[in-house]
Amino acid sequence: MKMEIRRLFPGDDALVMRIAEDVFDEPVRPDRLAAYLASSGHFMIVALADGIVVGQCAAVIHRHPDKVSELYIDEVGVAPAFQRQGIATNMLDAMFELGREHGCEEAWVGTEPHNVAARALYEARNEPHGPAEAFVMYVYKL
């Protein structure tokens, strides 16, 4: 099986039409994917196994007037059959490099306290800027 870690660009929509189960939270809508890939500062890295998306990592640059630019890792997902093979780590490495190329000095990611697999992934990185922080998140329907 040929595994490839690849950044998506506008026009790469067709690459994301064959997706393994549980890579994304919901079905991918082509119009949303196209808008995402066309948006400045939005990045997506995918893991392809024989042309099927088995992993994805999405991130957004947050620019601030008073702080360094940050790369917010919004989503990381790997199909269950492909987990524990280094795919998520490789996608994060590629995304962090992309963030550095775009002037980001920090990257951050959050997960639920009970998501043991995600926490193990993030805590295993050899370069965290300290321990996990507790925070409270509010979601508003618009």
Side-chain angles (χ1 to χ4, degrees):
M1 172 180 346
K2 182 180 181 235
M3 182 69 65
E4 177 185 9
I5 304 296
R6 178 176 176 168
R7 177 183 173 191
L8 296 184
F9 292 93
D12 283 342
D13 312 38
L15 287 173
V16 188
M17 292 304 106
R18 294 181 53 207
I19 305 169
E21 276 190 54
D22 297 323
V23 172
F24 290 88
D25 295 332
E26 302 289 335
V28 173
R29 285 186 26 189
D31 60 327
R32 289 182 178 168
L33 176 61
Y36 187 91
L37 295 176
S39 297
S40 176
H42 287 65
F43 306 115
M44 183 170 284
I45 304 277
V46 294
L48 298 163
D50 293 332
I52 298 172
V53 175
V54 298
Q56 60 90 12
C57 180
V60 178
I61 293 178
H62 285 267
R63 300 192 191 281
H64 305 277
D66 62 334
K67 297 179 265 188
V68 300
S69 293
E70 305 167 315
L71 184 68
Y72 165 56
I73 309 296
D74 187 39
E75 296 280 340
V76 179
V78 177
F82 291 86
Q83 292 176 357
R84 312 275 318 150
Q85 297 178 29
I87 294 170
T89 298
N90 290 338
M91 289 188 304
L92 281 174
D93 288 345
M95 191 61 81
F96 287 173
E97 181 59 31
L98 197 52
R100 284 188 287 274
E101 289 172 10
H102 284 83
C104 295
E105 295 182 36
E106 294 180 347
W108 62 280
V109 62
T111 192
E112 298 81 9
H114 64 275
N115 191 336
V116 177
R119 292 183 66 186
L121 169 67
Y122 304 140
E123 291 170 10
R125 301 219 34 99
N126 61 2
E127 56 196 74
H129 187 65
E133 296 181 21
F135 72 97
V136 178
M137 182 175 81
Y138 299 91
V139 177
Y140 298 91
K141 185 98 173 149
L142 300 179

